[in-house]
Amino acid sequence: MAVTDTPDNEKIPLYKPNQLPRRKKRSAKKAKAQRVLNKYTLIASGIGFIPGPLAGQIAVGSLLAKLMDDLCKIYGLSFSDHQIKITVTAILGGAHYDWISHYLIKYVRGYTPLSASTGSLLLRPAVSGLLVYYIGKLFLLHLESGAWVRVKEKGFTP
C-alpha cells in the first residue's frame, strides 16, 4: 500500500464568488461592433463566390471601407479623420484577397490536381471571410483601446 503525503485534516480552500477572478465584461459598443463585424464577415464569404478576380477585389475592398465606416460610427469617430488609414486598408485588403486565394489554390493544385476546382470553390470564400474578419478585429481592438481618439488642443490644426 502506498502512503499518501497529505494528512486527512488538510482541506482544499473554498473561495466565495466575490474572491474569484472575473472576466472583463464587454461594453455595449463592443458588443454592437462585434455583431456588425460578424455580419460583414458573412457578406465577405459570399463575395468569395464571385468568379472574376478584379470584381472580387473591388467588392472586398469596398466592403472593408464600409465596415470601417460603420465601426467609426459606433465609436463616435468621424470617417474623414481616419480616411487615409481606412482607404489604404480597404485597397490592400481587397488586393490581398485575390493574391492569397491564388497562391493557396496553386498550393492545393500541386498536391491534388483533381480537386483544384473544389479547392477554388471553397478557398476563395474562406479567405475573403477570414481577411475581412481579422482586419475588422484589428480595427475593433484599436477602437476599443482608444488608440484612434484624438485629443484636440486649442490652436492645434493638423
Side-chain angles (χ1 to χ4, degrees):
M1 294 264 196
V3 177
T4 59
D5 293 337
T6 58
D8 292 334
N9 61 358
E10 187 178 321
K11 295 183 179 178
I12 298 173
L14 297 176
Y15 293 103
K16 296 178 181 175
N18 60 358
Q19 295 174 329
L20 295 174
R22 297 201 181 258
R23 290 176 57 190
K24 187 178 177 182
K25 291 186 177 182
R26 287 195 309 182
S27 66
K29 287 181 182 179
K30 186 172 183 178
K32 185 176 180 181
Q34 188 65 45
R35 285 192 304 272
V36 168
L37 179 60
N38 292 342
K39 178 181 83 170
Y40 280 103
T41 301
L42 287 175
I43 294 170
S45 296
I47 287 174
F49 289 111
I50 295 175
L54 185 61
Q57 289 176 350
I58 293 170
V60 169
S62 60
L63 186 74
L64 279 169
K66 179 66 174 142
L67 170 65
M68 301 308 152
D69 181 41
D70 287 351
L71 289 178
C72 283
K73 284 179 185 174
I74 290 172
Y75 283 91
L77 301 172
S78 72
F79 183 80
S80 62
D81 285 346
H82 308 290
Q83 189 172 8
I84 294 172
K85 296 176 205 172
I86 292 171
T87 305
V88 168
T89 302
I91 291 171
L92 290 177
H96 282 84
Y97 148 73
D98 191 51
W99 297 339
I100 292 169
S101 299
H102 174 73
Y103 288 116
L104 283 176
I105 291 167
K106 192 175 178 181
Y107 181 75
V108 168
R109 192 177 295 157
Y111 284 105
T112 55
L114 296 176
S115 67
S117 62
T118 306
S120 174
L121 182 68
L122 298 176
L123 280 176
R124 291 175 65 90
V127 168
S128 64
L130 287 172
L131 186 73
V132 168
Y133 179 78
Y134 283 110
I135 289 175
K137 193 70 168 175
L138 177 70
F139 273 77
L140 180 62
L141 289 173
H142 280 298
L143 290 169
E144 188 68 23
S145 68
W148 277 11
V149 177
R150 280 189 180 175
V151 177
K152 294 188 177 183
E153 300 174 5
K154 288 186 179 179
F156 175 73
T157 55

